[in-house]
Amino acid sequence: MIQINNLRKTFHGGKVAVDDLSFAVNDGEIVGFIGPNGAGKTTTIKMMTGILKPDSGVIKVNDVDISKNPIEAKKIIGYIADSPDMFLKLTGMEFIQFISDVYNVPVSERAARIEEFTKKFDLEDILSDKMQSYSHGTRQKLQIIAALVHAPAVWILDEPLTGLDPKSAYNLKAMMREHADKGNSVLFSTHVLEVAEKLCDKVIIITHGHDIFYGTLDELTAKYPGKDLEQIFLELTGDEKL
């Protein structure tokens, strides 16, 4: 479970990036995080994963306060960043093994997980190549494997489908649904409203750092009868585009 209460973050010059944001991702839920560019999605996710410190507010992951117990909270989280362009001097396998070491994944367990994930994402033949030679989509697939190799209970994914081929995108969406069906929590940001509509149990829509809707898609569409999700989004955000 993820609990966000009264989260606030400002940057230099007093710009408010996140403004009194509150929501929850319950056990067994997939929640889509939707908003225009600059709405505060990535800033929020970076605070949720301990990369940025909030000015105020509370973030708990499975009841662990990330400000008070950051290491314990991070052990619970599988995080996919908004850019896969990191550690490019390493081979794919070196990168996965490095992240496995960070999370103290037993060698016997990591071997089975790496084999499962690399087959799922068709990466078996390139793991000895340096990541700088990979396409954007292939780097993204390595980030997914590295994020999940320690079997985290809570998944926090920032634009995880960007750059993925259709088969890999399908597999990741199926993995997200399976993870939630086992009673775990998944939050992911997306620009693809159709994905949110088909996959999410709930959505949170934000603009200018604060939420303007949080609930199920049925609740959202009931408030705006006769309109599809894109039309509702444009109305809520004042025609700002994703």
Side-chain angles (χ1 to χ4, degrees), residues 91-216:
T91 68
M93 182 58 80
E94 286 171 342
F95 175 63
I96 297 170
Q97 295 287 7
F98 168 67
I99 299 299
S100 298
D101 289 339
V102 169
Y103 284 97
N104 296 315
V105 181
V107 173
S108 58
E109 293 182 16
R110 77 175 67 173
R113 291 173 191 165
I114 291 170
E115 181 179 9
E116 175 191 353
F117 290 143
T118 54
K119 284 183 178 179
K120 191 179 292 287
F121 291 106
D122 297 322
L123 296 176
E124 306 102 298
D125 297 333
I126 62 166
L127 291 179
S128 61
D129 299 338
K130 290 189 181 295
M131 291 176 62
Q132 63 189 3
S133 69
Y134 294 172
S135 67
H136 178 93
T138 301
R139 292 175 189 176
Q140 184 73 354
K141 288 189 277 188
L142 258 294
Q143 294 292 332
I144 294 167
I145 294 172
L148 305 183
V149 72
H150 66 291
V154 172
W155 294 7
I156 299 175
L157 318 178
D158 198 354
E159 297 290 344
L161 301 172
T162 300
L164 293 184
D165 58 84
K167 178 183 176 182
S168 297
Y170 175 85
N171 284 338
L172 179 57
K173 287 184 284 186
M175 291 165 64
M176 292 164 65
R177 183 73 269 168
E178 181 181 1
H179 191 66
D181 287 345
K182 291 179 179 178
N184 300 302
S185 304
V186 179
L187 178 134
F188 76 103
S189 67
T190 182
H191 283 100
V192 184
L193 295 173
E194 183 180 0
V195 171
E197 193 167 17
K198 291 180 178 179
L199 187 60
C200 296
D201 301 300
K202 293 179 181 176
V203 295
I204 176 167
I205 302 175
I206 72 169
T207 185
H208 303 298
H210 61 87
D211 61 293
I212 50 180
F213 177 81
Y214 172 61
T216 68

Side-chain angles (χ1 to χ4, degrees), residues 32-50:
F33 201 22
I34 304 172
N37 290 330
K41 300 187 301 297
T42 293
T43 299
T44 300
I45 286 174
K46 287 183 176 179
M47 288 189 285
M48 293 167 66
T49 53

